[in-house]
Amino acid sequence: MKKYLIENSEGNPHWFELNKDGPRLHFYHANGYPFGTYRQMLNKLAIKFNVFGLGLRATWKNIGHPSNKITWMTYADDLITFLDSTNSPPVIGVGHSIGAVSTMLAASKRPDLFSKLILIDPVFLPTRLWTIYKLAPIKIKQRHPFISKTLTRPEIWRSSEECIDFHRQKKAFSRFPEKALADFGTYGLIHNKDNNFKLAFPKDWEAHIYCTIPYVWSKLRSVQVPILGIKGELSDTLSIAAWNKWKRLRPEDTFVELPNSGHLVPLEAPEETAKAIITHT
């Protein structure tokens, strides 16, 4: 896995690449989980595809703190700008969680950049739930467990092992295989100037993302390329109601549900997720 910097741009963006051969497949990662933490799945995909991926702007070196002007469409526009710069044929657009939603938003705006979408447990809130969420004041949103836990958890570690041991006890990581936990300790941290290890995905950005979830259904309806939807059977993010609404809205899409996995399905079941992508692509 090679990392490349894009200089002379806001925040010093970076991107990664595995295997230069095969159909081009762009992977956009989730909130709180940098690109490299998906190494187990990406290595399987790289057997067939030229896998590459832009880091979400939260992980860019000099990006600073999120502003109120940053929306999920910002991440879609980052992807559009990046893909335009590669000057390549349309790519297979794969994304997980916010990465899936941002990839879908990019495709709704620029269908010429994509040949197919693979959306892994995207954050598609049912309309009623999204309306309640949208109307809630920011202070109320910050009381949600996702956000309150994000803002209060540790961000600095003395070693990657200390970080892994801490997260191993957490519910979100309970189904991670040991190799995935090790990858989080390697790629989810950066070595800071004080010789400690800091989360590579800053928690103020992570909380900001949770507070700015968009309405997706009209954009999803407008996508012109084929879509494969992958859901973790036990997901607490992509609800059965939203999953079924997606099926009704776009019956032409392909849908795969992976058993014994949750919202973090590509990290919990990397081989099964890669197999589903390869089988249906």
Side-chain angles (χ1 to χ4, degrees), residues 159-184:
S159 67
S160 61
E161 290 77 14
E162 183 183 51
C163 177
I164 292 170
D165 288 342
F166 173 86
H167 286 92
R168 184 182 280 113
Q169 312 303 319
K170 302 302 178 182
K171 181 180 178 181
F173 291 77
S174 62
R175 288 186 288 265
F176 275 40
E178 283 298 315
K179 287 183 178 179
L181 277 170
D183 287 335
F184 185 82

Side-chain angles (χ1 to χ4, degrees), residues 122 220 227 229 242-250 253 255:
L220 178 63
I227 301 177
W243 184 238
N244 289 336
K245 180 173 182 175
W246 181 0
K247 290 179 178 179
R248 292 193 303 271
L249 190 68
R250 295 182 56 94
D253 290 347
F255 299 91

Side-chain angles (χ1 to χ4, degrees), residues 87-101:
N87 194 31
S88 68
V91 304
I92 301 166
V94 184
H96 174 220
S97 192
I98 181 180
V101 176

